[in-house]
């Protein structure tokens, strides 16, 4: 069983009695793209040092609400994983190509295409054995790919083959624009003849890693000695020493829709080249979250960067940056490629599958309802514990859900009691009271059940156990029979095991939850007396025993 950990957040309900609005701020938005070059250099430190991950710039103290605002709609990022044969025939995904309205992905053994209606990746037509690479295409009728000995210009129902077995070098990059197709080796750039009968050399450039071609048919080659541009007669070299690109180790290139903006991915960050101007962006506080770029993509105002660790998506219009890291967002920390589609989906390819990140308009109220539904369906244990963990046979989807006891069952349940009582205090919605009441009754048992043994031993009332299990919980209950630190007690016709341990943080949680229930949920003196009995008992026990 893999552990499927879902954190139950304290639910905060914010209501406003004012029509006043607050300006939304975002630290990342300080890194603007549409700003003056002098200001840009202040934001993005121009250094070629390989600094790796850049930590947050500091800590921020928040001790009060500056402004209370209404719960208005906002865009929330959500992620869908494609990690098994049901939705992705081969999980080792290497490269994306977006052509027309279709997203293709090259895997270790096949070419797939995304079927948006079914939300799955399927085998693309025609199926090609031994496909090693595919190239980006713009304004082309065909895709371009290669095997070990052939360049393939293909679409469904039609495939053209160009023999490259005599070229003597490995092909390392492919590209197509306006039905003209190119490929490169480490030392040369070639163009496929218009009748597909062969190829011709365009230019020799040493150390090529990648190529792109604009609609004027200028060839741009990324190399290990900078960026080269060839217009058919003149070869230019743009380098870091001339303060043109960030560093000379160019890994990836992509043109934006305007065919004028070139994104250059390098070891230290990326460079934006437009209208003969270079703007360099580096990893630093308030800059890029990560350097070591291995793939780039551009669509509309959006730029995507794949890194050796994580992926960055940037809105060029307002400078907003999103950085996706860890299995919360991606299936492996090393990203192989990044892509967009016209619907705003963000795709990230790794050796363990694909992430699709998309934006959904929601509100805090909607989010609360979502978490409440999840909690109601999966996280009640023993009719009142709010379990901190739920186990699933699938780490990304809820399958065969199962709960177990936890050393912090009391603490986390009391956190939820406090949240529900805060909600009840503001809304007077009986729903929140009923949930808090359901949980608090099991909190009472955490004192009352061990008290049976404690009072028999002359230790008095007030010890609060870490957790309880009940005789109708199957394996959870059976597991405790052989454990010496769990003790069997019969109480109100049911059998329980209680754990002979507690902790200061558990005690803190109980004081926190009980006090909120007493002040905000208890409807009459009888309920307040119930709380006072347990809370007072715990305090008395501590005073008696230290």
């Amino acid at each position: 069983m893999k552990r499927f950990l879902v954190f139950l957040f304290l639910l905060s309900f914010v209501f406003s009695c004012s029509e006043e609005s607050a300006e939304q701020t975002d630290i990342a938005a300080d890194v603007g793209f549409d700003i003056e070059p002098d200001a840009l250099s202040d934001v993005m430190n121009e250094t070629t040092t390989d600094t790796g991950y850049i930590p947050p710039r500091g800590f921020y103290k928040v001790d009060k609400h500056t402004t209370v605002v209404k719960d208005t709609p906002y865009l929330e990022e959500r992620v869908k994983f494609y990690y098994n044969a049901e939705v992705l025939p081969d999980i080792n995904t290497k490269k994306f190509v977006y052509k027309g309205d279709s997203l293709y992905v090259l895997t270790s053994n096949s070419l797939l295409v995304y079927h948006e209606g079914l939300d799955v990746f399927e085998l693309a037509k025609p199926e090609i054995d031994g496909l090693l690479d595919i190239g980006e295409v713009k304004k082309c009728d065909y895709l371009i790919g290669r095997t070990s000995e052939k360049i393939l210009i293909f679409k469904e129902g039609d495939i053209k083959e160009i023999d490259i077995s005599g070229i003597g070098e490995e092909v390392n990059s492919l590209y197509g624009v306006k039905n003209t197709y190119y490929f490169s080796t480490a030392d040369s750039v070639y163009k496929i003849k218009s009748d597909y009968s062969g190829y011709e050399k365009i230019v020799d450039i040493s150390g090529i890693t990648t190529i792109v071609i604009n609609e004027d048919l200028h060839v741009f080659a990324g190399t290990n000695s900078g960026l080269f541009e060839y217009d058919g007669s003149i070869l230019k070299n743009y380098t870091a020493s001339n303060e043109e690109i960030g560093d000379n180790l160019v890994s990836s290139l992509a043109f934006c829709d305007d065919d004028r903006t070139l994104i250059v991915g390098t070891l230290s960050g990326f460079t934006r080249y437009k209208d003969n101007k270079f703007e360099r962006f580096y990893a630093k506080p308030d800059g890029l979250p990560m350097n070591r770029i291995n793939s780039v993509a551009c669509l509309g105002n959006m730029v995507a960067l794949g890194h050796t660790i994580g992926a960055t998506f940037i809105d060029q219009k307002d400078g907003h940056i999103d950085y996706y890291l860890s299995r919360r967002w991606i299936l492996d920390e090393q990203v192989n490629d990044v892509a967009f589609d016209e619907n705003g989906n963000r795709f990230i390819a790794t050796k363990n599958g694909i992430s699709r990140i998309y934006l959904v308009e929601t509100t805090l109220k909607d989010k609360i309802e979502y978490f409440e539904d999840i909690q109601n369906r999966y996280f009640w244990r023993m009719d009142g514990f709010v379990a901190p963990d739920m186990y699933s046979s699938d780490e990304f989807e809820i399958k065969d859900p199962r709960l177990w006891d936890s050393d912090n069952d009391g603490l986390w349940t009391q956190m939820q009691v406090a949240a529900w009582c805060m909600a009840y205090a503001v809304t007077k919605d009986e729903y929140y009271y009923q949930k808090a009441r359901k949980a608090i009754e099991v909190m009472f048992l955490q004192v009352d059940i061990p008290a049976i043994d404690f009072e028999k031993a002359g230790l008095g009332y007030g010890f609060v156990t870490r957790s309880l299990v009940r005789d109708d919980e199957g394996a959870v209950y059976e597991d405790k029979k052989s454990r010496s630190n769990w003790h069997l007690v019969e109480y109100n016709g049911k059998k329980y095991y209680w754990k002979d341990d507690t902790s200061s943080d558990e005690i803190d949680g109980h004081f926190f939850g009980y006090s909120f229930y007493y002040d905000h949920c208890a409807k009459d003196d009888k309920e307040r007396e119930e709380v006072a009995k347990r809370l007072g008992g715990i305090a008395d026990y501590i005073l008696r025993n230290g």
Side-chain angles (χ1 to χ4, degrees):
M1 283 285 189
K2 296 181 179 178
R3 190 175 182 183
F4 184 90
L5 177 60
V6 177
F7 292 102
L8 295 173
F9 297 97
L10 286 179
L11 306 177
S12 59
F13 293 75
V14 183
F15 292 82
S16 174
C17 296
S18 168
E19 293 296 327
E20 184 177 5
S21 63
E23 180 181 354
Q24 182 178 353
T25 61
D26 191 327
I27 294 173
D30 293 340
V31 190
F33 281 76
D34 294 332
I35 54 180
E36 295 299 319
D38 290 343
L40 181 67
S41 64
D42 292 337
V43 174
M44 296 292 192
N45 181 32
E46 296 191 1
T47 174
T48 59
T49 302
D50 181 10
T51 52
Y53 171 73
I54 301 297
R57 64 181 176 183
F59 296 91
Y60 299 86
K61 179 181 179 183
V62 179
D63 53 13
K64 64 180 180 178
H65 288 291
T66 55
T67 307
V68 177
V69 298
K70 286 188 173 182
D71 181 15
T72 55
Y74 66 96
L75 291 176
E76 177 181 87
E77 298 153 292
R78 296 182 184 174
V79 62
K80 168 69 181 289
F81 294 121
Y82 305 84
Y83 60 96
N84 58 40
E86 295 177 5
V87 293
L88 186 66
D90 179 18
I91 66 170
N92 188 0
T93 52
K94 298 178 177 296
K95 191 171 184 179
F96 291 118
V97 167
Y98 188 63
K99 178 183 178 296
D101 57 357
S102 296
L103 180 71
Y104 295 86
V105 58
L106 179 70
T107 74
S108 58
N109 60 28
S110 59
L111 181 64
L112 308 176
V113 63
Y114 178 58
H115 191 301
E116 185 174 12
L118 299 176
D119 197 18
V120 299
F121 287 84
E122 301 175 323
L123 288 172
K125 303 292 185 180
E127 295 183 28
I128 301 172
D129 292 332
L131 189 64
L132 298 176
D133 195 10
I134 54 174
E136 185 178 355
V137 290
K138 291 194 172 183
K139 297 186 177 180
C140 288
D141 297 326
Y142 292 80
L143 291 166
I144 180 171
R146 75 172 178 92
T147 65
S148 59
E149 296 186 346
K150 295 178 180 180
I151 297 292
L152 306 174
I153 311 298
F154 64 96
K155 64 181 179 179
E156 185 172 356
D158 190 8
I159 183 167
K160 306 177 190 304
E161 300 181 352
I162 299 93
D163 186 359
I164 56 169
S165 58
I167 202 166
E169 293 183 277
E170 183 178 356
V171 172
N172 62 10
S173 188
L174 306 160
Y175 200 85
V177 60
K178 297 172 68 176
N179 285 322
T180 305
Y181 300 91
Y182 299 78
F183 67 93
S184 68
T185 64
D187 296 310
S188 303
V189 180
Y190 300 84
K191 182 173 74 171
I192 302 295
K193 293 181 179 180
S194 59
D195 61 359
Y196 308 111
S197 61
Y199 54 87
E200 56 186 346
K201 185 184 290 188
I202 299 298
V203 63
D204 287 324
I205 303 171
S206 179
I208 295 174
T209 57
T210 184
I211 60 169
V212 295
I213 294 88
N214 68 11
E215 293 184 27
D216 293 328
L217 303 186
H218 288 203
V219 174
F220 291 81
T223 75
N224 53 23
S225 56
L227 174 69
F228 286 81
E229 179 183 0
Y230 180 64
D231 65 1
S233 58
I234 299 173
L235 182 64
K236 300 177 182 178
N237 183 202
Y238 306 116
T239 64
S241 60
N242 291 331
E243 298 186 344
E244 290 160 329
I245 59 176
D247 66 83
N248 289 336
L249 300 179
V250 178
S251 62
S252 45
L253 300 169
F255 271 109
C256 297
D257 295 346
D258 60 6
D259 198 50
R260 295 163 50 214
T261 304
L262 178 65
I263 305 300
V264 183
T266 68
L267 177 67
S268 62
F270 81 94
T271 298
R272 186 173 67 176
Y273 176 46
K274 181 178 181 179
D275 299 334
N276 296 315
K277 294 181 180 179
F278 294 89
E279 298 172 279
R280 295 168 294 278
F281 303 87
Y282 298 94
K284 63 185 289 289
D286 293 337
L288 291 180
M290 185 65 191
N291 51 22
R292 304 180 188 180
I293 293 168
N294 57 28
S295 54
V296 297
C298 186
L299 185 66
N301 290 321
M302 298 298 297
V303 170
L305 312 171
H307 308 276
T308 54
I309 301 178
T312 301
F313 287 74
I314 305 168
D315 188 333
Q316 295 186 89
K317 186 175 182 180
D318 62 15
H320 179 82
I321 295 175
D322 291 313
Y323 180 56
Y324 302 111
L325 177 68
S326 82
R327 289 167 78 84
R328 168 65 178 88
W329 297 107
I330 56 180
L331 293 162
D332 186 77
E333 68 176 14
Q334 179 163 325
V335 170
N336 292 334
D337 203 3
V338 287
F340 304 96
D341 68 13
E342 294 288 352
N343 296 319
N345 290 304
R346 305 170 179 188
F347 293 90
I348 302 171
T350 74
K351 67 179 182 181
N352 292 325
I354 294 173
S355 300
R356 177 172 64 87
I357 297 169
Y358 56 102
L359 302 179
V360 175
E361 185 175 271
T362 188
T363 64
L364 291 177
K365 181 177 181 294
D366 292 336
K367 197 162 188 174
I368 288 165
E369 291 174 353
Y370 169 80
F371 280 113
E372 283 289 301
D373 177 60
I374 291 290
Q375 190 274 320
N376 283 329
R377 284 192 288 161
Y378 300 114
F379 287 88
W380 282 121
R381 186 178 74 79
M382 220 183 81
D383 300 327
F385 278 125
V386 179
D389 309 314
M390 183 266 289
Y391 298 81
S392 171
S393 59
D394 187 311
E395 64 182 310
F396 297 111
E397 296 181 27
I398 299 175
K399 295 180 179 178
D400 310 311
R402 176 174 63 88
L403 300 179
W404 205 257
D405 63 275
S406 161
D407 276 356
N408 296 117
D409 277 336
L411 168 64
W412 299 128
T413 302
Q414 290 283 25
M415 297 293 100
Q416 269 306 156
V417 168
W420 287 324
C421 287
M422 283 187 267
Y424 179 66
V426 173
T427 66
K428 298 305 178 185
D429 188 337
E430 192 70 10
Y431 167 85
Y432 299 112
Y433 167 80
Q434 292 296 338
K435 294 194 75 172
R437 182 66 201 181
K438 180 177 180 177
I440 207 72
E441 288 180 357
V442 174
M443 298 299 93
F444 294 162
L445 295 181
Q446 285 193 274
V447 182
D448 295 348
I449 286 176
I452 295 172
D453 286 338
F454 270 73
E455 289 176 335
K456 285 179 182 178
L459 297 174
Y461 180 87
F463 174 84
V464 57
T465 181
R466 281 186 177 273
S467 190
L468 302 165
V469 298
R470 196 171 59 197
D471 58 9
D472 59 357
E473 293 191 275
V476 182
Y477 178 82
E478 295 297 321
D479 174 72
K480 308 304 180 286
K481 288 183 176 180
S482 60
R483 298 182 182 272
S484 61
N485 59 334
W486 286 81
H487 304 277
L488 182 64
V489 168
E490 188 166 340
Y491 183 83
N492 287 345
K494 291 187 178 294
K495 294 179 180 179
Y496 297 85
Y497 279 100
W498 62 271
K499 190 171 187 178
D500 62 5
D501 187 21
T502 193
S503 68
S504 59
D505 58 331
E506 284 291 299
I507 299 298
D508 291 343
H510 283 284
F511 273 86
F512 183 73
Y514 277 136
S515 63
F516 269 92
Y517 191 92
Y518 187 97
D519 289 338
H520 300 295
C521 267
K523 293 185 175 183
D524 52 36
D525 288 342
K526 179 182 177 182
E527 285 196 70
R528 282 184 280 273
E529 288 170 6
E530 289 177 320
V531 173
K533 174 185 175 183
R534 279 75 180 190
L535 198 53
I538 295 170
D540 288 344
Y541 182 84
I542 293 171
L543 291 173
R544 290 196 310 271
N545 296 284

